[in-house]
């Protein structure tokens, strides 16, 4: 029983503001660009070959000889799935007959690549049927099915066409047969299908989906030696992952006993998302408690100020509480997307800004930083400090690119961001029978199943007045007042609303024609990390609204490392500049520059020369060439 | 032609001060303890098995069946070699008939394990003759020979017994035959034999040693694909090191073209040491220039304030200029010992405190930090920040132990430190026909070949008055005035010496009976790193004399991370406390403690509560249990 649930896709239409800009970028740049990538049509770019893999698998199943061998990561199929999901959601926002035709073609191809028993995975189809479900540790076939299930649901939601859903329904039957009916042991090395099955259950009511998701969640980590046994039973492998590294693959203990977020951060948050969704479906206190504990383990002790998670490239993983290095961080774009998923599911059980604040932090900072402003280049890793000559170059920083490449051999992040943005309304808004929830501030039009309809007008995140015009009322509107907004006011039709917040939400009855105006805190804030975070002691970072700011070398003669922010110094938001970095409000801050020091070490403190610093939103970094960048800056009196 | 050369072993006898304390610790604790380790006699400690390897190799050569297989690292033999060298040097300081007998026994055993053609290496003797000199990349047999050559020279110097020298002379013949006479291609993957051969040449005048050292130095990196060819020619390996990783094994270019210190830091400095020694022997400008450039690459851009080098565990290596993380640093004890070797050889060509300052920095900080005050526990890695719960525990910090273990599977560092300390006079003092050089301040008695004889009396590094009493004069005394000593004075028989320093040295004529008194700066200094060092921006560290200080949690309620040092605050050296940490001068500093912050991030700066900080010398850290430690501390007004 959910207290509220995500807005249905298509019930939110962005208007002309910030969300609209990003949805358009996805529609106009990312979807066509990524489609060309999937077809290997972009020159001088890492090859995808995912369409070719499906074509080859289809040939093989027809008894023909495939043109080529499988190419790419074992989970290459999922790139197509995420692209379909993004494209499907975009159809809800931007109907496009040609794109829909392309989708229909691709879905037919997927059908052709499905085996008669419902099995669907080009890697294993091309590399030997006998290997199916025998390397759950590394094989990612359940992960790929999960993404394709999500795509199938989205395509049905967007177009009313169940073509892909039928394919995936047969695939679910195949998996259900193997793991439930045949009682094959095991669970996916990379959680994903669990959250997808629950999504399909929500949409279709197919009980097998619920049962299979529950099964995978419940058996996980019960036999902690499962992967060792699995590895011992085969004489092949994919990468040679260590089957004993239970934390990495979230198999170290039963999920209800988990207390600390550990291991591969994307695997972790995808699993927790499914756990939270199941907990709210089944109203199970033990599972909800585990979710709450894991949530706190992340956001209270292991999350960067940008909403990035995963402190190390080794296993793309969490490390230990408060270990948050700014330069060698992993901070995968997908992990922050997964953190938003987890937040959104927790919100469904407990409308509390504890979750929505983090969802906003992750979205406006790490997720958007993953995308170049041109929509054609992407970060996988999102550092909070980049130093040319060290980033990318040092053995310890090879993963920390200083410019966004046009594609990746492992390309999970770009289509993941695309699907999230095109479906952002689901995360921004929620509803139950009595109430409409505004979790994020997303400009546009909202129509809820409970009858509530309203528009949201704002230039947020660069302006802090938000106007909700109620078209159909008679319900409660629940507005999140962000935790960062120390001052705020709300008015109904010009009259102040005096109301206690409940877990950070302002609940107010609305009637047809009401105009609710929210004014949030526009101040420039100096943020301090807990002194347990060694990497940030003595440092501050700058936030305004939900945006974390950074300093780039290009604004400071190439040298950010010698800069200090003045404690209690003046700071100023410059006017919105539509031509700068696709439109931002830069900040000016009082600061100092350390005079150059000739030697590596000196006992004479270099002169601190007063200067004006210029900060830009973190999500726009690395759009003006190779240059130093820092989020955390030493503070000086 | 050397401008001056290292003091001959045995010509320095420590008195009753700091050096004496450490020489005694080595003699009384480290040498017997390590001897027991080599025989596998210490319970609950990583097994060495090095003696057993020699016994087994000797058996095999006699045609008997060895009791066991080879055990340990491929370079395990070198642990015995370094122990012999340490024990030999200790005999010069502390004659000990029983130890000398043990050495004679061990040397006989080494002779028994030498093949008839002079070949000596237990790994390859036990693992197949046919593999000899076929894996120079990983095999370490030339490295082991190098250490055994050093041991042989030291034992002859200490006892006049050439038993081991004869063995190693035959071994040199064997190697010379293979690489010079037979013209086998290749050079050692781990430089060491080069510096050892030059040492043997200095001592014995054996021209083959010079020729072979020159050969290995000159062929290195000329064929940059040598290791790839070597790897392709065999179907076995030891660890599977990447033969293309030329930087790691210092094979990326001919030595005279090297500009940046790269790769495995111990390999690097061992190579540079030999290059410097050869350059001074041959007076070759190109080689000297390369040495100078490499020196600057280290000390101006890649060295920690503690004299540690090697920023990453990945390849135990240098990374990139100014990348000096304090927590994930490697900073191997052996690398700082090697840096002292390099400094000492550079000094022989150019008496300049640029070198001796670094030698002192490395010795008093990283090298001594490698040894527990009890002489029975050792650090391999020397971090500048340790946080319980993160150090040792996080994937990125596994190498960064928070307490010294009693031994290591790879135990290069403990015996390396032992041999250095027992021969510290060679580094502290130097001479030529006219002059005696005091590079380090080492209390005790010095007798030079040039006839100069004097004593040095001081409680340095905890007191800054140094008295040299000249027993035999008629020469020049060259006293290094440390670069850190902004104020100083020197007196001869109570009368001030007014003299310009030449490259940081005070040259003064001395006569029999003269008393030279040097007074150095005893102030407590705040040190600043170049702002190019991202890890240290806004931070300061504390030095007094040559000692870098640190803060430990045990003195600060377990929490060092919340501390700040007050800029321009008071600081005070407490009285020398002989019972604290084997005798130290603790410091008190004005500072602040940040009040605890409840959340991970906050926009309210925590209150800065004035407090008194207590600093201890870095080399004594981790002697009072598991606790936080930091060298670099944020500075606040």
């Amino acid at each position: 029983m959910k207290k509220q649930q995500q807005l249905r896709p298509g019930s939110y239409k962005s208007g002309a503001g910030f969300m609209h800009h990003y949805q358009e970028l996805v529609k106009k740049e990312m979807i066509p660009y990524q489609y060309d990538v999937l077809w290997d049509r972009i020159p001088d770019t890492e090859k995808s070959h995912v369409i070719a893999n499906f074509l080859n698998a289809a040939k093989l199943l027809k008894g023909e000889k495939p043109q080529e061998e499988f190419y790419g990561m074992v989970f290459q199929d999922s790139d197509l799935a995420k692209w379909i999901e993004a494209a499907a959601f975009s159809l809800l926002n931007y109907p496009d007959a040609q794109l829909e035709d392309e989708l229909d073609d691709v879905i037919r191809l997927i059908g052709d690549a499905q085996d008669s028993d419902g099995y669907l995975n080009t890697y294993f189809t091309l590399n030997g049927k006998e290997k199916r479900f025998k390397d759950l540790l590394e094989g990612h076939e359940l992960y790929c099915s999960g993404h394709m299930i999500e795509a199938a649901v989205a395509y049905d939601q967007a177009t009313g066409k169940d073509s892909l859903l039928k394919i995936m329904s047969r695939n679910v039957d195949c998996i259900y047969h193997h793991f439930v009916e045949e009682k094959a042991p095991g669970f996916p090395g990379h959680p994903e299908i669990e959250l997808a099955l629950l999504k399909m259950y929500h949409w279709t009511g197919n009980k097998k989906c619920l049962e299979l998701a529950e099964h995978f969640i419940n058996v996980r980590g019960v036999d902690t030696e499962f992967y060792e046994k699995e590895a011992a039973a085969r004489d092949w492998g994919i990468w040679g992952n260590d089957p004993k590294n239970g934390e990495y693959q979230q198999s170290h203990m039963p999920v209800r006993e988990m207390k600390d977020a550990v291991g591969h951060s994307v695997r972790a948050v995808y699993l927790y998302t499914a756990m939270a969704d199941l907990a709210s479906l089944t109203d199970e206190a033990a599972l909800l408690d585990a979710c709450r504990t894991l949530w706190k383990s992340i956001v209270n002790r292991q999350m960067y100020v940008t909403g990035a998670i995963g402190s190390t490239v080794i296993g793309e993983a969490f490390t230990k509480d408060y270990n948050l290095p700014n330069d060698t961080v992993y901070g995968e774009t997908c992990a922050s997307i997964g953190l938003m998923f987890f937040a959104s599911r927790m919100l469904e059980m407990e409308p509390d800004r504890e979750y929505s604040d983090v969802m906003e932090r992750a979205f406006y900072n790490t997720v958007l930083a993953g995308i170049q402003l041109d929509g054609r280049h992407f970060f996988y890793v999102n550092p909070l400090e980049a130093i040319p000559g060290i980033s990318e170059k040092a053995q310890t920083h090879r993963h920390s690119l200083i410019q966004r490449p046009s594609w990746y051999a492992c390309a999970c992040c770009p289509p993941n961001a695309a699907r999230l943005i095109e479906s952002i309304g689901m995360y921004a808004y929620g509803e139950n029978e009595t109430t409409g929830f505004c979790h994020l501030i997303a400009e546009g039009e909202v129509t809820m199943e409970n009858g509530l309809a309203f528009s949201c007008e704002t230039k947020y995140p660069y302006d802090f007045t938000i106007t909700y015009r109620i078209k159909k009322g008679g319900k409660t509107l629940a507005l999140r007042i962000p935790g960062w907004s120390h001052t705020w006011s709300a008015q109904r039709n010009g009259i102040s609303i005096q109301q206690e917040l409940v877990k950070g939400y302002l609940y107010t009855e609305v009637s047809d024609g009401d105009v609710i105006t929210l004014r949030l805190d526009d101040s420039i804030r100096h943020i301090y990390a807990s002194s347990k975070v060694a990497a940030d002691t003595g440092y501050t970072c700058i936030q305004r609204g939900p945006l974390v700011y950074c300093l780039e070398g290009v604004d400071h003669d190439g040298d950010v490392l010698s800069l200090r922010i003045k404690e209690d110094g003046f700071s100023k938001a410059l006017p919105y500049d539509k031509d700068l970095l696709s439109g931002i409000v830069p900040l000016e801050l009082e600061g100092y520059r350390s005079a150059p020091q000739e030697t590596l070490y000196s006992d004479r403190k270099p002169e601190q020369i007063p200067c004006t610093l210029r900060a830009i939103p973190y999500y726009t970094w690395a759009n003006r060439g190779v240059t130093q960048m820092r989020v955390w800056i030493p503070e000086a009196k």
Side-chain angles (χ1 to χ4, degrees), chain A:
Chain A
M1 192 107 57
K2 302 202 176 194
K3 291 225 173 126
Q4 55 100 21
Q5 58 194 20
Q6 292 180 339
L7 193 70
R8 238 172 142 143
S11 302
Y12 165 74
K13 304 275 182 203
S14 63
F18 192 82
M19 291 300 185
H20 180 71
H21 170 78
Y22 267 94
Q23 290 199 331
E24 275 220 335
L25 187 72
V26 171
K27 163 65 184 165
K28 289 193 178 158
E29 297 294 339
M30 289 173 69
I31 290 173
Y33 177 78
Q34 294 182 9
Y35 189 64
D36 285 342
V37 170
L38 302 178
W39 282 92
D40 300 330
R41 287 176 193 151
I42 305 283
D44 304 325
T45 288
E46 191 77 50
K47 183 165 89 160
S48 161
H49 220 60
V50 61
I51 295 285
N53 288 336
F54 275 93
L55 285 166
N56 286 316
K59 274 197 183 231
L60 190 70
L61 290 174
K62 266 194 272 179
E64 296 170 22
K65 189 173 149 46
Q67 279 191 295
E68 304 123 316
E69 291 185 358
F70 177 89
Y71 174 89
M73 306 298 282
V74 66
F75 48 79
Q76 207 78 351
D77 288 8
S78 66
D79 291 345
L80 179 60
K82 280 187 268 188
W83 178 83
I84 293 173
E85 195 183 352
F89 285 136
S90 87
L91 290 177
L92 283 166
N93 302 325
Y94 307 91
D96 178 333
Q98 191 198 322
L99 178 59
E100 196 169 327
D101 283 348
E102 284 169 354
L103 280 159
D104 288 334
D105 287 347
V106 163
I107 289 166
R108 259 189 301 277
L109 173 58
I110 293 168
D112 292 344
Q114 182 172 39
D115 210 341
S116 53
D117 64 353
Y119 186 87
L120 173 67
N121 186 287
T122 70
Y123 177 89
F124 286 94
T125 297
L126 288 166
N127 283 296
K129 273 174 94 148
E130 70 287 355
K131 294 182 177 171
R132 289 178 180 182
F133 301 133
K134 294 227 164 43
D135 187 359
L136 299 178
L137 176 64
E138 308 171 300
H140 281 76
E141 55 208 315
L142 297 171
Y143 170 89
C144 290
S145 285
H147 275 298
M148 204 59 90
I149 289 168
E150 289 196 88
V153 171
Y155 195 59
D156 193 32
Q157 289 172 332
T159 62
K161 293 180 186 170
D162 65 357
S163 47
L164 189 52
L165 208 49
K166 278 185 178 150
I167 292 168
M168 293 320 295
S169 182
R170 286 194 297 274
N171 185 241
V172 169
D173 289 343
C174 165
I175 297 166
Y176 183 90
H177 176 74
H178 183 76
F179 288 96
V180 179
E181 290 165 359
E182 297 277 323
K183 296 191 181 1
F187 45 92
H190 194 315
E192 152 62 25
I193 195 170
E194 301 88 339
L195 74 84
L197 286 164
L198 293 173
K199 217 177 239 189
M200 183 161 161
Y201 170 69
H202 290 309
W203 182 244
T204 64
N206 179 341
K207 284 263 171 67
K208 267 191 187 172
C209 294
L210 175 60
E211 200 186 328
L212 189 53
E214 261 190 295
H215 170 77
F216 282 141
I217 290 170
N218 290 341
V219 300
R220 174 173 295 277
V222 172
D223 176 4
T224 54
E225 288 167 12
F226 166 71
Y227 288 123
E228 289 169 69
K229 295 175 197 164
E230 186 196 60
R234 55 181 154 76
D235 59 357
W236 55 277
I238 293 174
W239 299 307
N241 275 12
D242 177 7
K244 291 187 185 168
N245 189 357
E247 292 193 352
Y248 173 80
Q249 51 253 5
Q250 310 296 328
S251 66
H252 54 303
M253 59 177 68
V255 301
R256 287 166 185 81
E257 294 171 21
M258 293 179 177
K259 302 265 182 278
D260 296 303
V262 296
H264 188 271
S265 55
V266 175
R267 290 172 203 239
V269 287
Y270 280 19
L271 172 63
Y272 308 157
T273 300
M275 285 163 61
D277 200 0
L278 183 63
S280 65
L281 273 167
T282 58
D283 248 343
E284 187 202 321
L287 197 54
L288 172 56
D289 274 354
C291 290
R292 282 195 189 120
T293 303
L294 291 164
W295 174 264
K296 287 185 198 306
S297 166
I298 297 174
V299 306
N300 293 350
R301 301 191 296 278
Q302 303 200 75
M303 181 182 70
Y304 287 83
V305 72
T306 54
I309 53 174
S311 296
T312 180
V313 62
I314 304 170
E316 307 179 310
F318 293 106
T319 57
K320 292 289 168 187
D321 288 352
Y322 304 108
N323 177 228
L324 296 164
N326 292 306
D327 56 342
T328 54
V329 49
Y330 205 64
E332 185 177 340
T333 308
C334 283
S336 289
I337 292 171
L339 183 60
M340 290 180 65
F341 295 163
F342 184 26
S344 179
R345 292 301 180 196
M346 291 304 286
L347 268 180
E348 290 186 317
M349 284 187 282
E350 310 184 301
D352 186 329
R353 74 176 174 203
E354 174 182 355
Y355 304 112
S356 28
D357 278 358
V358 168
M359 193 159 72
E360 182 179 67
R361 187 187 286 280
F363 178 72
Y364 280 102
N365 299 293
T366 299
V367 175
L368 293 187
I371 308 166
Q372 185 99 341
L373 296 174
D374 68 5
R376 291 166 168 257
H377 300 80
F378 308 95
F379 274 138
Y380 193 103
V381 167
N382 295 283
L384 284 77
E385 174 179 289
I387 312 289
I390 295 175
S391 300
E392 298 186 12
K393 306 291 185 193
Q395 296 92 307
T396 40
H397 294 65
R398 292 263 157 81
H399 62 288
S400 192
L401 305 186
I402 202 155
Q403 290 284 287
R404 294 173 188 82
S406 51
W407 202 249
Y408 289 85
C410 171
C412 52
C413 299
N416 214 355
R419 69 173 179 141
L420 177 87
I421 289 167
E422 286 297 327
S423 60
I424 193 68
M426 294 168 62
Y427 304 91
Y429 295 98
E431 60 171 310
N432 61 24
E433 282 165 21
T434 62
T435 310
F437 290 85
C438 302
H439 303 303
L440 301 180
I441 295 159
E443 49 76 27
E445 303 279 334
V446 179
T447 320
M448 295 190 168
E449 288 189 271
N450 66 13
L452 198 59
F454 59 88
S455 70
C456 170
E457 292 163 21
T458 182
K459 290 178 180 157
Y460 193 84
Y462 292 114
D463 187 84
F464 298 90
T465 300
I466 304 111
T467 305
Y468 296 92
R469 293 182 197 280
I470 310 301
K471 295 183 178 165
K472 291 276 268 182
K475 301 279 173 185
T476 301
L477 192 64
L479 299 173
R480 163 179 155 261
I481 308 300
W484 50 258
S485 191
H486 293 306
T487 61
W488 59 276
S489 68
Q491 293 182 323
R492 180 188 296 100
N493 307 322
I495 295 157
S496 176
I497 303 175
Q498 300 294 338
Q499 183 92 32
E500 285 284 300
L501 300 187
V502 179
K503 296 192 174 181
Y505 282 75
L506 177 73
Y507 289 79
T508 186
E509 304 294 312
V510 289
S511 305
D512 294 11
D514 274 359
V515 177
I516 309 289
T517 310
L518 190 61
R519 285 192 180 82
L520 299 178
D521 185 352
D522 67 353
S523 63
I524 297 166
R525 284 131 43 222
H526 287 211
I527 309 293
Y528 302 91
S530 160
S531 62
K532 292 176 181 169
V533 181
D536 302 337
T537 56
Y539 289 19
T540 187
C541 84
I542 301 299
Q543 243 185 285
R544 182 172 180 255
L547 300 179
V548 171
Y549 276 69
C550 68
L551 304 186
E552 275 204 310
V554 65
D555 296 317
H556 302 93
D557 298 323
D559 174 14
V560 160
L561 292 178
S562 69
L563 303 177
R564 309 277 179 274
I565 291 177
K566 184 170 179 178
E567 190 183 336
D568 308 321
F570 82 77
S571 58
K572 182 167 84 172
L574 297 181
Y576 179 79
D577 182 345
K578 72 176 173 45
D579 298 321
L580 181 61
L581 294 165
S582 296
I584 64 161
V585 169
L587 306 181
E588 278 186 0
L589 304 156
E590 202 174 356
Y592 302 97
R593 175 183 290 287
S594 280
Q597 175 173 310
E598 280 181 21
T599 55
L600 186 53
Y601 302 107
S602 164
D603 55 9
R604 293 186 181 90
K605 182 160 183 165
E607 193 192 348
Q608 301 294 302
I609 303 157
C611 65
T612 300
L613 311 179
R614 192 181 169 89
I616 59 162
Y618 170 74
Y619 78 86
T620 67
W621 85 277
N623 275 281
R624 296 177 294 169
V626 170
T627 189
Q628 289 186 4
M629 183 280 293
R630 252 185 163 182
V631 169
W632 291 99
I633 310 288
E635 196 182 44
K637 273 267 188 201

